[in-house]
Amino acid sequence: IPCSPQPENYSFLSFCTEFPPSSGLNVCMSGSATSCEECILIHPSCAWCAQEEAKSQSKVIPTVRCDLTQSLQIRGCKAQFIEFPSSQTSILKSNPLSTKGSAPSQNEVTQIMPQKISVSLRPGDQTSFQVQVRQVEDYPVDLYYLMDLSLSMKDDLVTIHNLGTKLTEEMSRLTSNFRLGFGTFVDKNISPFSYTEPKYQNNPCNGYKLFPNCVPSFGFRHVLSLTDKVDRFNQEVQKQMVSRNRDAPEGGFDAIVQAAVCKEEIGWRKEAFHLLVFATDDVPHLALDGKLGGLVNPNDGECHLDKNNENSASTQMDYPSLGLLGEKLAENNIYLIFAVTRRYYVIYKNYTALIPGTTVEILDMDSKNIIQLIVNAYNNIRSKVELTVSDQPEDISLSFTATCQDGQPLPGLRKCSDLKIGDTVSFDVNVEARSCPKGAASQSFTIKPVGFKDRLEVTVDYSCDCGCTRAAQTNSSVCSSTGTFTCGKCYCEPGYLGSHCECQEGESGNNPLGACREAEGKRMCSGRGECSCNQCLCYESEFGKVYGSFCECDDFSCARHKGVLCAGHGECHCGECKCHAGYIGDNCNCSTETTSCLADDGQLCSGRGHCVCGHCHCSEPGAFGDTCEKCPTCPDACGTKRECIECRLFNSGPLADNQTCQRLCKDEIITVEALDTDDSAGVLCLYKSENDCVMKFMYSEHANGKSILTALKEPECGGGPDALMVLLAVVGSILMVGIILLAAWKLAITVHDRRAFAQFQNARCRARYELPSSVDLLFNIKFPVPKNQFLHTRDLKWR
């Protein structure tokens, strides 16, 4: 019921106690906020009414102070009493972007805009601002050449003797303000990284026939500070000699950190583009490798150059990690160029993904391409802009949208590529505060392009307090002098109750805990009402009714199903669904009806499952469908589909009645001349028809859930057997068996006879005759005489 127009001197809720419902879901009223600070934390759309309500002797619905701004105004809250902090952005410094780097004063060159802003953030709310970046023309360049002087780089050292002159000539086409510096490295001069035996102290190449003389090993040596005197660079390079270390990896990352952090010694200019060229032909040592030499102290990332311009802490600290390396390069706005041989290109390419602002180029074995390599890397670096964030507070979320040269917004990106020097790109930055930090003090973070000295400083203030809190009145007369009046509401002293602290706890009852608390430790009126003289007055809610002695009940906090309270099949009573007849469950979504589970054949879930809450839960493996009617792998699958094949194709079988067949057999049937039995997605079914023919069909389920039966057009029927052929086959079989048996018998007899004859021959050969040799020669007697027997003369037979 809308409130009627109000006079000028009205009080909040003096004239209307019933309110029109708000459209949509109102999260502000559902939060049960008891203070302005609690209210603004619920949602960015919530506002608090700090207007004092009218005193009344009658019982009225207590004031709903946390709501949408429009709803509060409809209830009669004046605009000046509505607390609604919002997020906003203020630009504090915004110098225009420069076009050239050769300004009278380099401090006047600006490549990012704005330079300083302030944002005020309400928790959960967000604000945005735009950052523009332009790489100006003719910007000063400082290039420091850091070279590996291990023995394998001796050819490269000869090649770069005149590097300064040639490189300056090439870079003069890109900038009119170019300076060059030089440094070298080998590895830590301790075992096992270098040769430490006495005979190698002054000459690690001692005894090495291919190259017998070299200088002692060292970690990092700064040779020449950044200068525009090219001849001096050439002279210093020509003085250098290679050294020799023991293992393959080098101590180059140690040298990179020193070259980055020793700003004064190296001579890095604040207003210049910093390039660090790292030339090597092997992999680097990383953090924890130093433990092999007994170095347990981690690298501190500080400058340790001594009077000889060497790293004095090289043998005292471990190698740096990739994280420390990237941090120091970013702090000092240095672009790192890895110039490495082809063999190690992939390794260093992986490093570039972990270290912002780095690139890698392939170096020839003798460094002949070093000049072109540097120019290409410089152009590659200058063709892209990437933003980085440092010191980002934990409670702040940042999101970027890049708008590059094509003018198309690219959400989630903070990088633009393929740019030309002088191009301007922009980035939209959304800032959101997830919560209020402790103390809600101001915080800051920095946004800067990788390798730039220019940066955007962002100061963040949190809107976590309400303005009305600063006007709090202690012992206010509005609160019966026993409470604090803050933001239109009384906060009573311990022991006092009521919207104006007009009652004492325990005055009207025997409950020592107070009639407005359900139990000790519970919130007053469950946090959903106000205690007025030991009686809870429950807040009104747009969701429904809040009731109960302690406002503990309502008719809208029950379980829902698909967003519907009690699934639309029950009533909500004090947080519990009371289901209508025919429905059960916590949210009344389970129907006790089984009609929807009946299959076409009249069975519940086709006999392959159980009906639960009006839906079939198939228990037979392979069964699916609303009523578990589909199951190609079930044992009875072929039997159930056979009846449909019979009635649909041949008008036979138990379902031959046309109406029954059309009602139960709705599957698609395809007839073919021959079945594809190799289809793994289908099941081959076959059965014997009434005339002893064999009918075959394939049962399969399509991806769209449709059953498909592929059947032969006609059953396969074979002819009857020939009686004469059967008789001849039987007789022939008998004769064959007889012949085989006779052949076997004959073979057995032959083998037996041959064995007996062989035994007879052996017996004859063993016979012995005992006669005088002269008589034997004379009469030529040839007959067997048993061994060891005497032959009498009367037994002799004469020829």
Side-chain angles (χ1 to χ4, degrees), residues 509-549:
N510 298 322
N511 185 1
L513 298 177
C516 294
R517 286 193 179 89
E518 187 175 5
E520 184 177 1
K522 294 281 188 177
R523 298 181 67 183
M524 193 77 69
C525 297
S526 303
R528 302 199 292 181
E530 291 185 356
C531 184
S532 180
C533 297
N534 293 335
Q535 182 178 359
C536 284
L537 299 179
C538 302
Y539 293 139
E540 185 184 69
S541 174
E542 66 169 334
F543 302 113
K545 182 181 178 182
V546 179
Y547 60 96
S549 301

Side-chain angles (χ1 to χ4, degrees), residues 375-441:
V375 173
N376 291 342
Y378 174 78
N379 290 330
N380 182 33
I381 292 171
R382 295 279 278 171
S383 68
K384 56 189 176 184
V385 170
E386 182 178 3
L387 297 184
T388 59
V389 181
S390 57
D391 302 324
Q392 179 178 342
E394 294 182 357
D395 301 292
I396 296 294
S397 294
L398 297 177
S399 61
F400 293 81
T401 299
T403 303
C404 303
Q405 284 305 102
D406 57 1
Q408 298 296 323
L410 303 172
L413 290 184
R414 57 174 78 180
K415 179 180 180 180
C416 286
S417 303
D418 300 325
L419 304 176
K420 297 178 181 178
I421 295 178
D423 289 345
T424 303
V425 294
S426 62
F427 300 89
D428 292 319
V429 185
N430 286 331
V431 189
E432 179 181 353
R434 293 189 294 266
S435 61
C436 284
K438 294 182 179 179

Side-chain angles (χ1 to χ4, degrees), residues 650-666:
F650 309 110
N651 195 25
S652 61
L655 303 180
D657 176 53
N658 188 50
Q659 293 183 352
T660 305
C661 185
Q662 295 297 327
R663 179 174 58 85
L664 297 182
C665 301
K666 300 177 181 179

Side-chain angles (χ1 to χ4, degrees), residues 84-132:
F84 184 70
S86 59
S87 299
Q88 56 186 358
T89 302
S90 301
I91 299 178
L92 305 180
K93 183 179 179 181
S94 181
N95 296 333
L97 296 173
S98 303
T99 56
K100 282 186 173 292
S102 55
S105 174
Q106 288 297 328
N107 293 327
E108 299 176 3
V109 177
T110 303
Q111 299 184 93
I112 186 171
M113 184 181 72
Q115 296 81 43
K116 185 178 292 186
I117 65 173
S118 174
V119 295
S120 178
L121 294 176
R122 175 177 174 173
D125 197 12
Q126 64 179 6
T127 185
S128 62
F129 54 86
Q130 188 179 79
V131 180
Q132 291 185 328

Side-chain angles (χ1 to χ4, degrees), residues 711-754:
L712 293 175
K713 289 184 178 181
E714 296 293 339
E716 295 179 349
C717 300
D722 190 343
L724 179 60
M725 293 299 295
V726 172
L727 178 61
L728 292 176
V730 173
V731 173
S733 299
I734 294 174
L735 289 176
M736 182 63 67
V737 171
I739 292 172
I740 292 174
L741 291 176
L742 287 174
W745 176 79
K746 179 61 177 177
L747 178 64
I749 294 299
T750 302
V751 171
H752 179 268
D753 291 346
R754 288 183 177 181

Side-chain angles (χ1 to χ4, degrees), residues 633-786:
T633 59
C634 290
D636 61 340
C638 291
T640 57
K641 300 302 178 182
R642 167 187 172 177
E643 297 175 351
C644 291
I645 293 289
E646 290 178 335
C647 76
R648 290 276 297 276
L649 295 184
F650 309 110
N651 195 25
S652 61
L655 303 180
D657 176 53
N658 188 50
Q659 293 183 352
T660 305
C661 185
Q662 295 297 327
R663 179 174 58 85
L664 297 182
C665 301
K666 300 177 181 179
D667 300 333
E668 180 182 358
I669 299 180
I670 302 174
T671 56
V672 294
E673 295 291 343
L675 288 177
D676 180 13
T677 58
D678 296 332
D679 185 8
S680 59
V683 177
L684 176 62
C685 301
L686 52 90
Y687 65 91
K688 193 173 183 180
S689 61
E690 296 176 352
N691 54 359
D692 294 332
C693 294
V694 177
M695 183 62 187
K696 297 180 181 179
F697 64 93
M698 294 287 294
Y699 170 30
S700 60
E701 294 289 340
H702 198 267
N704 58 10
K706 191 175 182 180
S707 299
I708 298 178
L709 301 177
T710 305
L712 293 175
K713 289 184 178 181
E714 296 293 339
E716 295 179 349
C717 300
D722 190 343
L724 179 60
M725 293 299 295
V726 172
L727 178 61
L728 292 176
V730 173
V731 173
S733 299
I734 294 174
L735 289 176
M736 182 63 67
V737 171
I739 292 172
I740 292 174
L741 291 176
L742 287 174
W745 176 79
K746 179 61 177 177
L747 178 64
I749 294 299
T750 302
V751 171
H752 179 268
D753 291 346
R754 288 183 177 181
R755 285 182 178 177
F757 182 74
Q759 290 176 356
F760 172 74
Q761 291 292 342
N762 291 335
R764 291 183 61 189
C765 292
R766 289 195 301 266
R768 296 289 184 268
Y769 295 92
E770 297 182 359
L771 290 176
S773 58
S774 58
V775 175
D776 185 39
L777 292 173
L778 177 63
F779 296 102
N780 192 20
I781 300 175
K782 293 182 181 179
F783 51 89
V785 179

